[in-house]
Amino acid sequence: MLALLEPEERAVFEVWIRQRARAVDAAEAARQLGLTVPTYEAAKKRLRRRCKAALEQLDLTPADLFDPPSEAK
């Protein structure tokens, strides 16, 4: 999925993951990307939509990333 994202989108994704892990707050995340906080928040919203579209293109759902189907025995 990440390969389908543009480099700028991957940069937002990387910082967003660090924010979710509480390694940085929104202000620091925005600063690292050279954005204002409102612009960073808007970039996250766009990224959410792009990730959803990329998953659909791959015929995956978010649950597939975390709960892969068990293989039949």
Side-chain angles (χ1 to χ4, degrees), residues 3-65:
L4 296 175
L5 300 177
E6 297 296 325
E8 298 82 14
E9 293 168 327
R10 286 193 300 270
V12 172
F13 189 89
E14 179 184 344
V15 173
W16 188 10
I17 294 299
R18 288 195 311 240
Q19 181 189 6
R20 290 186 52 86
R22 300 182 193 269
V24 296
D25 62 12
E28 177 59 19
R31 189 197 65 73
Q32 289 180 13
L33 293 169
L35 303 173
T36 65
V37 172
T39 304
Y40 168 62
E41 294 298 332
K44 289 190 323 187
K45 286 181 183 180
R46 284 190 306 276
L47 180 59
R48 228 180 254 118
R49 288 190 297 270
R50 279 283 295 130
C51 287
K52 183 179 180 194
L55 288 172
E56 288 173 359
Q57 184 177 344
L58 295 168
D59 197 28
L60 296 171
T61 67
D64 293 327
L65 299 177

